[in-house]
């Protein structure tokens, strides 16, 4: 895919944006947005370590998403990723973000939302999935049967999870067809 930039909203340590950028033939620059200064510093370090370029900003992901959605001149070649961040918002802020996500999806702006599979903790997911699929996107659940590394398996068991693999769900809008080359 060709992108002028990737915006990682709620970037944390920058892994979601980095994964998308590394999947591109020519990794675009990243913009990471997070409320935590330590997180954006970690994102910058991770991106440099992976050979990626980008900058970060300590800011609110909801306000940034609203700005992207309101920018009618926004480059369609901007990819937007929300990795493990929507689930952490309160209901009011999540509704504001949902409005911005619907706008981005309706404009066919490349968009990826990644969240854990936790139906009780994320009752909002079905509404978001309907909106994204109605805009031509895709909702999916992914399960990877992999052996967890020893330390992670021990932590997993101590937390009472007892799983043998990993699971995640995604919402994906690929963007304009011409951008998928």
């Amino acid at each position: 895919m060709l992108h002028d930039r990737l915006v990682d909203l709620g970037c944390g340590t920058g892994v979601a944006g980095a994964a998308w950028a590394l999947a591109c033939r020519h990794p675009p620059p990243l913009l990471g947005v997070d409320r935590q200064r330590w997180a954006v510093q970690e994102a910058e370090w991770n991106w440099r370590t992976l050979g990626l370029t980008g900058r970060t900003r300590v800011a609110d992901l909801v306000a940034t998403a609203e700005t992207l959605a309101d920018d009618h001149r926004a480059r369609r070649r901007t990819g937007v990723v929300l990795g493990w961040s929507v689930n952490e918002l309160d209901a009011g802020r999540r509704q504001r973000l949902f409005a911005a996500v619907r706008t981005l999806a309706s404009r066919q702006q490349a968009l990826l939302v990644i969240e854990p599979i936790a139906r009780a903790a994320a009752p909002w997911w079905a509404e978001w999935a309907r909106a994204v699929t109605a805009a031509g996107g895709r909702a999916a659940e992914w399960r990877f049967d992999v052996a967890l590394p020893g330390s992670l398996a021990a932590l997993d068991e101590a937390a009472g999870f007892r799983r043998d693999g990993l699971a995640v769900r995604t919402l994906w809008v690929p963007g304009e067809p011409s951008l998928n080359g």
Side-chain angles (χ1 to χ4, degrees), residues 42-60:
E42 288 295 314
E44 289 173 351
W45 184 88
N46 284 329
W47 296 343
R48 275 193 314 271
T49 301
L50 293 168
L52 299 169
T53 61
R55 61 186 177 84
T56 58
R57 183 177 345 159
V58 175
D60 180 66

Side-chain angles (χ1 to χ4, degrees), residues 148-159:
L148 298 176
S151 59
L152 186 54
L155 181 62
D156 198 55
E157 185 173 338

